Amino acid sequence: MSVTLPESLDAWRVVSARRSFEGTLPIATLSRLSEALAGTDGLVQFELDFGRDSLGTDYVAVRAQARLTLTCQRTLEPFVLPVVVDTRLGLIRHERDEAGLPPDYEALLVPEDGRLNPADVIEDELLLALPLVPVNPDSSLPDEVTGHDAEEDSGEGHAGNPFAVLRELKK
């Protein structure tokens, strides 16, 4: 088990050697991910395990976790989202090889020279784990935006309810 993450590695050599890497990366060093975040403080904890399964498929198992600061699209305030990635990527040489991967594998196209940047692999998986529209689960819209008070919600029927007429017709 290695603690340092090389900048580049030979994918096929580390698969044959069944190498593993684990450690932390500063979020600020992941430029593409940083662009999608409201803040770049913190670390990504990661584990990469390269190997070959019983079917002969070369893979890298990616496990990563981080607390990412996103902008809530409901309140436009920053919030921290814990993100956990646990996936297995089948290493392929050509796009047509993707069809031969087991169903629980995602494809990772390895360049012709076999060189991979492991930090890019981790960053890609974290980017894929981000929500399309980040919303803080603890947030709610202010009453000025929703146009109603909590007192109005307690009543059975509302004068401004567009379905009140339908409810009366149904009787």
Side-chain angles (χ1 to χ4, degrees):
M1 185 89 47
S2 175
V3 176
T4 59
L5 190 64
E7 189 171 317
S8 175
L9 50 79
D10 183 327
W12 312 118
R13 183 172 287 162
V14 293
V15 163
S16 295
R18 302 187 62 82
R19 293 280 314 267
S20 294
F21 302 91
E22 75 173 61
T24 58
L25 287 171
I27 292 171
T29 63
L30 305 172
S31 60
R32 292 176 295 132
L33 179 63
S34 295
E35 290 175 9
L37 302 177
T40 58
D41 295 338
L43 298 171
V44 176
Q45 289 184 303
F46 68 87
E47 292 178 35
L48 295 175
D49 294 316
F50 290 85
R52 186 171 291 125
D53 67 11
S54 59
L55 300 173
T57 304
D58 297 334
Y59 70 86
V60 58
V62 181
R63 285 176 295 284
Q65 57 185 359
R67 296 178 50 83
L68 304 177
T69 305
L70 301 171
T71 301
C72 175
Q73 295 303 298
R74 177 179 289 152
T75 63
L76 300 179
E77 296 290 327
F79 74 102
V80 176
L81 178 71
V83 174
V84 177
V85 171
D86 188 3
T87 189
R88 189 169 278 206
L89 304 174
L91 304 177
I92 58 173
R93 288 181 166 85
H94 307 284
E95 287 184 21
R96 66 179 175 265
D97 298 337
E98 183 177 0
L101 290 175
D104 56 336
Y105 282 42
E106 294 293 326
L108 177 60
L109 184 61
V110 178
E112 281 187 37
D113 64 0
R115 305 300 296 175
L116 275 182
N117 181 335
D120 285 350
V121 173
I122 295 166
E123 184 175 25
D124 289 344
E125 293 305 309
L126 287 170
L127 281 165
L128 289 169
L130 290 178
L132 187 60
V133 179
V135 176
N136 184 349
D138 299 330
S139 70
S140 62
L141 288 172
D143 290 336
E144 304 87 54
V145 174
T146 59
H148 66 279
D149 296 328
E151 297 160 3
E152 291 179 12
D153 287 342
S154 62
E156 181 64 33
H158 293 80
N161 185 343
F163 298 105
V165 173
L166 293 176
R167 188 178 308 121
E168 293 300 319
L169 291 174
K170 190 174 175 183
K171 288 183 181 180

